Amino acid sequence: MAAKLYGGAYLSPFVDAVLDNLSSILEDDSVLNGNDSALELLERLQNCLCDVGPVLDHAELKQFTDKKVKKWLADLQDALYMADDLLDELSTKAAIAATRRDPAGKLESVVRRKRYLGLEKSAKVDMSWRIPSTSLVEPSEICGRKEDKEAILKLLLDDDDAADGDLSVIPIVGMGGIGKTTLAQMVYYDDKVKENFDFRGLVCVSAEFDVVKVTKTIIEAITSNSCNLTDLNLLQLDLKEKLSRQKFFIVLDDVWNENYEDWTKLLKPFQKGVKGSKILITTRSKKVAYMVQTVLPHELTPLSNEDCWLVFSKHARLSTVSVENPTLERIGRDMVKRCDGLPLAAQALGGLLRGNSDVKYWNQLMKSEIWELSDVEINVVPALRISY
């Protein structure tokens, strides 16, 4: 089954995964076994997916200001789940009779509605709000992750179970906005980690998993110099040479790609490293976490309300204004509860309210829906929406 998404946000990878699954079934004659009605149904599904894919970028941006588009995306996600469940049954040859449910009908109905929503093909979502991760982190801004940090440090610093040449891969998994990157940055800059490894590198992978690009970036992180190689074989030989005599620690942040072949190809230069070398990855996908793991994934849980409040108040600078107006603290704590323990949401809200001591404005924000924010404030919306 394709990876399910949080809150219906960013359906494009889901559509691609369902299309891949469908294509595999269509190419396997033994699955359909000459059933023409099943073949017709799957071809209808394929047409729907190909039709809706090009407008998803636009829809996923427009949902923040148009409730009708948001509802359309929710309906599309439901229809995709039905289609994906059917494909799972067919891929395991459970029963061709399952095609009688005809999930293509609902999907076709949803896809037809896109023409009335003003959705355009090839429109790209503005992802400028999403800053790539770096190895730098300010310890004073981190709340509630001490136990998580200690658990990861134990895995990083423990070489007792590592055999020569064996590579340890440690996944941190959790929903968007829960603090995976921040935790990785915390351990990356820990003094014990600095002393334990010959060199370290942090690479932001994100949705575009390009083995050549990622390998090149890792080399540049290790050498602190620009790499001009473009051939994957030469890049991997160069990286292997650099890794072969040193104990390394590499962080691969925000990994989405669930393709096992891509992952094994990326790891080839790492396989003969010095005993105790480690790779730490962060991902939202449990499938990715279990695919890459050599130890059980470390799953992050939401912050407590109090820790989330500390994040919010720091970014809102509430400590300086709440003395004059304690009403702001009451409203702020109510808003923090709506963040459901997600530090990114608390940080984004705090930044939105930073330096603003207008009680009326705080109350309006508390009572409003997130898509009702003005154009000036809309840049904070993706950071909040991706957390849900």
Side-chain angles (χ1 to χ4, degrees):
M1 180 178 290
K4 298 304 190 255
L5 304 172
Y6 294 108
Y10 307 108
L11 282 172
S12 299
F14 191 13
V15 170
D16 291 340
V18 176
L19 261 175
D20 288 343
N21 194 5
L22 191 153
S23 297
S24 298
I25 292 174
L26 288 174
E27 292 171 1
D28 188 350
D29 295 334
S30 66
V31 175
L32 298 179
N33 198 25
N35 189 312
D36 291 338
S37 61
L39 177 61
E40 180 185 354
L41 174 61
L42 295 185
E43 288 176 343
R44 286 168 56 201
L45 279 176
Q46 189 175 46
N47 290 335
C48 285
L49 294 170
C50 292
D51 194 21
V52 78
V55 305
L56 279 179
D57 283 337
H58 192 203
E60 286 161 354
L61 174 62
K62 197 172 181 179
Q63 66 170 320
F64 301 128
T65 55
D66 191 326
K67 294 180 181 179
K68 292 180 181 178
V69 175
K70 181 175 182 292
K71 174 64 165 59
W72 180 79
L73 281 171
D75 291 342
L76 176 62
Q77 179 173 272
D78 290 341
L80 287 171
Y81 285 171
M82 291 175 59
D84 192 43
D85 289 342
L86 170 70
L87 295 178
D88 279 344
E89 293 184 34
L90 291 178
S91 63
T92 57
K93 304 178 183 179
I96 289 297
T99 57
R100 295 171 186 168
R101 294 200 305 270
D102 190 12
K106 179 175 181 178
L107 188 58
E108 286 170 335
S109 175
V110 173
V111 172
R112 280 195 296 269
R113 284 163 45 198
K114 70 181 175 63
R115 71 186 67 175
Y116 305 110
L117 298 173
L119 301 177
E120 302 174 0
K121 293 184 177 181
S122 302
K124 296 298 181 183
V125 178
D126 179 10
M127 295 295 284
S128 60
W129 64 272
R130 193 175 180 190
I131 303 172
S133 57
T134 74
S135 59
L136 299 179
V137 63
E138 176 53 56
S140 65
E141 296 180 357
I142 300 168
C143 302
R145 291 299 183 204
K146 183 178 179 180
E147 292 183 1
D148 294 294
K149 179 185 176 182
E150 292 303 318
I152 298 298
L153 284 177
K154 186 177 186 303
L155 294 171
L156 287 176
L157 303 177
D158 183 7
D159 296 338
D160 292 342
D161 296 331
D164 289 332
D166 286 349
L167 177 68
S168 295
V169 181
I170 305 165
I172 299 175
V173 63
M175 64 191 300
I178 204 167
K180 302 180 297 297
T181 298
T182 300
L183 178 58
Q185 291 169 326
M186 288 170 66
V187 298
Y188 184 90
Y189 247 85
D190 186 86
D191 288 337
K192 295 177 183 177
V193 171
K194 292 180 184 179
E195 296 169 1
N196 190 60
F197 296 96
D198 296 320
F199 62 78
R200 300 162 299 136
L202 187 147
V203 177
C204 182
V205 179
S206 201
E208 185 182 353
F209 190 94
D210 184 324
V211 176
V212 171
K213 181 179 178 180
V214 174
T215 304
K216 185 175 181 178
T217 306
I218 293 172
I219 293 173
E220 292 175 339
I222 293 171
T223 63
S224 298
N225 292 314
S226 176
C227 175
N228 296 320
L229 296 174
T230 56
D231 179 77
L232 178 59
N233 181 56
L234 294 177
L235 282 166
Q236 291 200 325
L237 288 173
D238 186 38
L239 180 56
K240 182 179 179 181
E241 173 64 22
K242 288 178 169 60
L243 298 176
S244 62
R245 295 183 298 276
Q246 300 189 70
K247 185 178 179 181
F248 61 83
F249 171 44
I250 303 293
V251 176
L252 300 178
D253 185 47
D254 200 19
V255 178
W256 289 69
N257 192 319
E258 297 180 348
N259 187 305
Y260 182 72
E261 292 183 5
D262 286 346
W263 175 250
T264 55
K265 186 182 297 183
L266 177 67
L267 285 192
K268 284 182 179 179
F270 296 89
Q271 297 301 332
K272 298 300 181 181
V274 172
K275 177 181 177 180
S277 295
K278 304 288 173 71
I279 291 180
L280 179 70
I281 78 155
T282 72
T283 181
R284 298 177 200 178
S285 167
K286 288 187 177 180
K287 182 175 179 180
V288 169
Y290 284 102
M291 177 182 72
V292 305
Q293 68 168 32
T294 59
V295 297
L296 286 177
H298 183 86
E299 188 163 357
L300 280 190
T301 57
L303 294 179
S304 66
N305 281 338
E306 188 58 32
D307 284 330
C308 211
W309 162 254
L310 292 175
V311 174
F312 170 83
S313 60
K314 285 180 180 179
H315 289 277
R317 297 185 66 180
L318 189 59
S319 58
T320 60
V321 295
S322 59
V323 175
E324 301 172 9
N325 195 338
T327 304
L328 292 180
E329 181 171 342
R330 176 184 57 79
I331 301 171
R333 286 187 177 275
D334 287 341
M335 280 194 283
V336 164
K337 291 178 182 177
R338 298 178 67 177
C339 293
D340 290 333
L342 300 174
L344 178 61
Q347 176 181 325
L349 274 176
L352 181 63
L353 293 168
R354 188 176 182 87
N356 186 321
S357 57
D358 185 345
V359 174
K360 182 178 179 181
Y361 179 76
W362 281 53
N363 267 318
Q364 287 175 341
L365 183 59
M366 174 63 193
K367 296 175 182 178
S368 71
E369 295 292 347
I370 198 64
W371 52 78
E372 294 175 350
L373 295 172
S374 70
D375 290 340
V376 175
E377 299 160 336
I378 202 66
N379 65 320
V380 80
V381 173
L384 294 174
R385 286 287 300 163
I386 200 170
S387 299
Y388 294 92

